[in-house]
């Protein structure tokens, strides 16, 4: 999986959130606290991306909280899409994805990375090939993550599930 965009640029959501907090509270310390929360969220999400790119399941398990609010539209025709709720189950999704798809064909580009406090949203494009059928899938995605105490507590992925289901169909 390749990530094309720079994930270190400041987001307008972070800047706007910090400015709003600073003006309504009237103190730099509140803005500084909001900024440090956003910075910690950004760092955890960057670590998540690096672990996914490296295929480091152990690091992914450590990044997910013990209980995770995992959401990915149910898709009975896609074997790697299923309910998950623990750190190990969430990290295992990457391994399952690699089992059912051709790793060399997997691509994901991130063109938007927004952070506001404990929440982050990544948007971009993904594509791949299903190993069993040889069919390809592609489409846009949005991933909403929430980071609390340095661990991912929410993982909501929105993707082109029709394209993926069609690629899995014989």
């Amino acid at each position: 999986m390749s990530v094309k965009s720079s994930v270190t640029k400041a987001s307008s959501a972070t800047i706007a959130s910090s400015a709003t907090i600073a003006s309504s509270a009237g103190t730099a310390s509140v803005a500084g606290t909001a900024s440090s929360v956003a910075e910690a969220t950004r760092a955890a999400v960057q670590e998540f991306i690096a672990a996914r790119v490296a295929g480091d399941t152990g690091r992914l398990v450590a990044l997910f909280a013990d209980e995770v609010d995992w959401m990915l539209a149910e898709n009975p025709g896609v074997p790697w899409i299923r309910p998950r709720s623990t750190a190990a189950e969430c990290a295992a999704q990457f391994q399952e994805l690699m089992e059912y798809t051709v790793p060399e064909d997997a691509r994901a580009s991130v063109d938007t990375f927004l952070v506001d406090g404990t929440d982050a949203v990544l948007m971009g494009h993904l594509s791949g090939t299903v190993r069993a059928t040889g069919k390809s899938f592609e489409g846009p995605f949005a991933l909403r993550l929430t980071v609390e105490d340095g661990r991912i507590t929410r993982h909501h992925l929105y993707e082109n599930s029709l394209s993926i289901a069609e690629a899995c169909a014989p």
Side-chain angles (χ1 to χ4, degrees):
M1 174 188 316
S2 66
V3 177
K4 290 187 199 173
S5 75
S6 166
V7 293
T8 58
K9 64 184 178 182
S11 75
S12 59
T14 300
I15 294 166
S17 175
S18 295
T20 301
I21 290 170
S23 65
S24 65
T27 66
S29 64
V30 173
T33 301
S35 178
S36 65
V37 169
E39 289 169 15
T41 298
R42 181 175 299 283
V45 172
Q46 289 171 323
E47 180 69 14
F48 168 76
I49 293 168
R52 284 292 305 245
V53 169
D56 189 339
T57 305
R59 212 159 83 192
L60 288 169
V61 169
L63 282 168
F64 281 107
D66 295 337
E67 294 281 326
V68 180
D69 175 10
W70 176 279
M71 190 193 71
L72 183 54
E74 289 194 37
N75 201 334
V78 182
W80 63 88
I81 296 178
R82 62 179 178 78
R84 298 167 194 275
S85 62
T86 69
E89 290 172 342
C90 294
Q93 191 268 345
F94 174 77
Q95 291 299 331
E96 292 171 21
L97 179 63
M98 293 299 101
E99 290 172 22
Y100 290 104
T101 63
V102 179
E104 301 79 31
D105 291 350
R107 301 282 180 271
S109 60
V110 174
D111 52 44
T112 303
F113 183 2
L114 305 171
V115 176
D116 186 12
T118 60
D119 291 310
V121 176
L122 302 170
M123 293 183 285
H125 191 270
L126 59 80
S127 63
T129 303
V130 175
R131 188 183 306 274
T133 65
K135 295 179 185 177
S136 297
F137 60 87
E138 62 90 21
F141 78 89
L143 174 61
R144 178 183 180 195
L145 299 169
T146 299
V147 177
E148 299 175 65
D149 297 322
R151 298 181 74 196
I152 298 168
T153 59
R154 176 185 294 136
H155 180 286
H156 290 187
L157 179 63
Y158 306 91
E159 62 187 359
N160 186 348
S161 56
L162 179 59
S163 176
I164 296 168
E166 287 174 347
C168 288

